[in-house]
Amino acid sequence: MSEQQLDENKLMAERRAKLTEIRQKGVAFPNDARPTDKAGLLHEKFDDSAKEELESQNHQAYIAGRMMLKRVMGKASFATLQDATGRIQIYLDKDSVGEERYAEFKQWDLGDIIEAKGTVFKTNRGELSIHAHEIRLLTKSLRPLPDKFHGLADQEIRYRQRYVDLIMTPETRETFLKRSKALNAVRQYMMKAGFLEVETPMLHPIPGGASAKPFITHHNALDMDMYLRIAPELYLKRLIVGGFERVFEINRNFRNEGVSVRHNPEFTMMEFYAAYWNYQDMMDFTEQLLRDVAIETTGSAVLTYQGQTVDLSQPFDRLTVTQAILKYCPQYTSEQLADENFLRQEIKRLGAEVPVTPGIGALHFALFEETTEHLLWNPTFIVDYPVEVSPLARASDKDPSITERFELFMTGREYANAFSELNDPEDQAERFRKQAEAKDAGDEEAMYYDADFIRALEYGMPPTAGCGIGIDRFMMLLTDSPNIRDVLLFPHLRREE
C-alpha cells in the first residue's frame, strides 16, 4: 500500500470516528434542509452593492453547499461553501452560532456539506459573505478531497471519478453546463422549424441505419437475440411513412468498435428527417443549425479549437470526394484518380485496407479517408458520395453512380452525415441484398436485410432528406475539448483493478 493510500485510510478512519460521534448525538444525515438562495445568484444580486448599503438592507440568506475552504481563527472563522452555481464565503463566530455549535464546526472537514443562515455583508476587503447565525452539518464526507493546490491531476481518475472532478474542477462543470445549454438550443431550433421530437427503440431485432458492428444481447422472455441501437434511422423513416413529415431524435447509439479521442462505444447523435426536402435543403438547414447553436452557446460563430480558429460564420465549403482530394493533396492528378489500378496500389502503399466493395467510388472514398479528411479544418461539406459506400442514400437522377449525400467535416473529423433518402423499395431491397452478400463475405459492419423496412417503403415514403449529427463531437468543438471523454460525464473505461 502506498504512503498516499495509508494517509487517506488514516484520514477516513478519523472521519468515520467523527461520524460515529455524530450518530450518538442524534440524526447524522438530516433531510429537512430547504435552502432558499444560491451562491451565484447572491453574487449577481449583491456584488455591486457597497458595504454600507448591505449593512442597511439587512438581507437574510439561507444557503447550503460543500465546504471547500476553512479558516479557524479563535472565536471567529471563515468557510467557503460551493453549490451548483458557485462559491460564497461564510463568516461565523462563537457569539452568533453558539459555543456548542461553534465547537462542532471546528471538527467539521473539507468536503462536508453544510447549511448556513445569516446576513449578507461585505468584509473590509470587499468580499461578499454571509454572517451566519445558524449553521448545521448536513452530510459528513468520509473521503478527503484531493489536495486543493494539485487538484485531480490524473486524467483517468478524472474520467473514472467524475463526481470528484466536478467538485474540484470549475472547467469541468462549465463544460457540462455548456453541453446542456447547447442541447437545449438544438431542441429549440428544431421545434421552431416544425420538427417533432420522438423516441424510437434502443433494442433492435435487426441492427440497421449505419455500417457498424453492434452489441448483442438476449431477450429472455422472447427468447431472441437483440442488438443495441447503432442508429435510429430506419425507425425514423418508418415515421415519415406514417405521416409525421418532420421528426428528430437526440439519441444514444452503441457501436462495438474501437475507443479513441473521437470514439466512444456509447455516444449521442441527433438524427432528423424532413419530407419534401432533398440533400441540398438539408445542407442549408444543417449549416444554419450549427451556426445558430454555436452563437447561442458561446456568443459567437467564430470558435477557437485547440489554438486554431474554426469559422462557422462564413458559408461552408462544398466539394466532391475527388475535388477535395485534388484541392488538399496536389500530389495526385485527375488521371490518377480515374485509374483503378493506381488507386488500389496507392491505398496499399499508404498502409490502408483496400475496399472489398467493387467500384472506383469506394477506392476514391478510401483514399479520401486516408489522405484528405484530416486536412479539412474549417467547415466543409463533402457531397455526391459514390453509391458503393452509401447503401441507404438516393442515387442521383443525373448520375446513378453517385448519391445525393453529404458529410460535414471540421477540425479534421466528421460531424454530420446526410442524404436524400432512398424511397424506392425495389432499389432499397437490392442494396440490402448486396449488403447481406458483403456480410456473408466477411464484412462485419455491412447491414442486414430488413424486410419490415422494405414493407414500410412499399406503402410509400414521400421524397425525404435525413441527417445525423454527432452531438459529442460538436460539444468537443463548442467547449474546446481535445478528447471525446472530456464531454461525456461517464465515459467507458477498462474495469478498475
Side-chain angles (χ1 to χ4, degrees), residues 322-461:
T322 53
Q323 285 172 345
I325 295 171
L326 293 172
K327 178 177 179 178
Y328 288 93
C329 302
Q331 68 268 31
Y332 299 119
T333 67
S334 298
E335 290 75 21
Q336 288 174 325
L337 296 188
D339 186 339
E340 288 194 30
N341 289 329
F342 169 81
L343 291 169
R344 287 193 180 89
Q345 292 302 315
E346 181 65 6
I347 293 167
K348 280 183 183 177
R349 186 188 70 79
L350 293 169
E353 190 173 331
V354 178
V356 295
T357 306
I360 196 170
L363 297 171
H364 286 153
F365 187 60
L367 185 65
F368 165 81
E369 287 188 312
E370 195 66 26
T371 64
T372 310
E373 179 178 322
H374 66 280
L375 301 175
L376 303 176
W377 187 262
N378 272 314
T380 304
F381 287 117
I382 300 298
V383 301
D384 300 341
Y385 271 67
V387 70
E388 300 94 323
V389 296
S390 309
L392 293 171
R394 175 189 176 91
S396 168
D397 292 336
K398 297 177 181 178
D399 182 357
S401 69
I402 62 171
T403 57
E404 294 186 350
R405 176 187 176 191
F406 71 80
E407 286 187 304
L408 173 63
F409 291 88
M410 295 183 283
T411 66
R413 60 190 61 152
E414 176 202 341
Y415 282 76
N417 182 27
F419 33 82
S420 300
E421 300 298 335
L422 182 60
N423 62 343
D424 180 339
E426 293 179 347
D427 188 353
Q428 181 65 82
E430 179 58 29
R431 296 203 205 182
F432 272 159
R433 277 191 284 270
K434 289 181 178 178
Q435 285 284 300
E437 290 171 3
K439 181 170 286 294
D440 291 341
D443 185 351
E444 291 184 326
E445 295 188 351
M447 295 182 187
Y448 290 73
Y449 189 99
D450 190 333
D452 180 70
F453 180 66
I454 297 300
R455 178 169 56 192
L457 289 184
E458 288 172 345
Y459 280 97
M461 185 174 80

Side-chain angles (χ1 to χ4, degrees), residues 42 54-55 58-63 75-79 88-98 102 115-123 127-135:
L42 289 173
L54 283 176
E55 288 175 356
N58 192 34
H59 183 88
Q60 299 299 301
Y62 175 12
I63 195 163
K75 295 182 179 181
S77 296
F78 288 94
I88 194 164
Q89 181 171 265
I90 307 298
Y91 169 79
L92 62 155
D93 56 59
K94 189 181 296 185
D95 293 336
S96 297
V97 300
Y102 188 71
E115 70 172 7
K117 300 177 183 178
T119 307
V120 178
F121 78 107
K122 279 191 174 178
T123 65
E127 182 171 355
L128 189 72
S129 306
I130 297 173
H131 186 173
H133 53 74
E134 289 184 40
I135 193 165

Side-chain angles (χ1 to χ4, degrees), residues 134-190:
E134 289 184 40
I135 193 165
R136 181 172 59 147
L137 178 67
L138 300 177
T139 302
K140 183 64 190 170
S141 172
L142 297 180
R143 288 184 179 271
L145 295 175
D147 182 275
K148 65 180 179 180
F149 296 107
H150 298 99
L152 206 58
D154 188 307
Q155 189 65 60
E156 182 173 330
I157 293 178
R158 291 178 65 183
Y159 295 147
R160 197 177 293 281
Q161 299 179 24
R162 183 67 85 189
Y163 37 89
V164 183
D165 186 27
L166 290 167
I167 293 171
M168 300 302 299
T169 316
E171 295 80 9
T172 299
R173 290 197 300 277
E174 182 59 33
T175 291
F176 290 102
L177 288 171
K178 190 174 286 187
R179 179 183 176 116
S180 179
K181 185 177 181 180
L183 282 171
N184 183 60
V186 168
R187 279 193 165 92
Q188 293 302 315
Y189 191 94
M190 297 303 293

Side-chain angles (χ1 to χ4, degrees), residues 476-496:
M476 290 171 65
L477 175 63
L478 294 179
T479 60
D480 193 13
S481 299
N483 193 319
I484 194 172
R485 293 177 177 181
D486 296 331
V487 298
L488 300 175
L489 280 169
F490 300 103
H492 292 290
L493 301 165
R494 292 188 186 277
R495 183 174 296 174
E496 199 170 4

Side-chain angles (χ1 to χ4, degrees), residues 180-239:
S180 179
K181 185 177 181 180
L183 282 171
N184 183 60
V186 168
R187 279 193 165 92
Q188 293 302 315
Y189 191 94
M190 297 303 293
M191 289 188 284
K192 285 180 181 177
F195 283 82
L196 175 71
E197 185 170 13
V198 298
E199 294 175 295
T200 62
M202 295 175 71
L203 282 176
H204 290 188
I206 298 173
S211 296
K213 186 177 180 181
F215 286 93
I216 304 174
T217 186
H218 188 79
H219 194 299
N220 291 333
L222 297 178
D223 191 23
M224 62 184 287
D225 284 343
M226 300 194 80
Y227 304 86
L228 292 183
R229 172 171 64 195
I230 59 174
E233 176 172 339
L234 301 186
Y235 284 95
L236 293 174
K237 288 197 281 194
R238 285 172 169 93
L239 297 180

Side-chain angles (χ1 to χ4, degrees), residues 14-28 103-104 107 137 140:
E14 292 173 356
R15 292 187 178 207
R16 288 186 186 279
K18 291 178 182 179
L19 177 59
T20 298
E21 186 176 340
I22 293 168
R23 290 187 194 279
Q24 290 169 351
K25 292 181 178 180
V27 178
E104 290 175 359
Q107 296 300 310
L137 178 67
K140 183 64 190 170

Side-chain angles (χ1 to χ4, degrees), residues 213 255-266 445 485:
K213 186 177 180 181
R255 298 183 184 178
N256 200 354
E257 299 167 348
V259 176
S260 74
V261 296
R262 293 183 290 174
H263 297 89
N264 195 66
E266 177 183 357
E445 295 188 351
R485 293 177 177 181

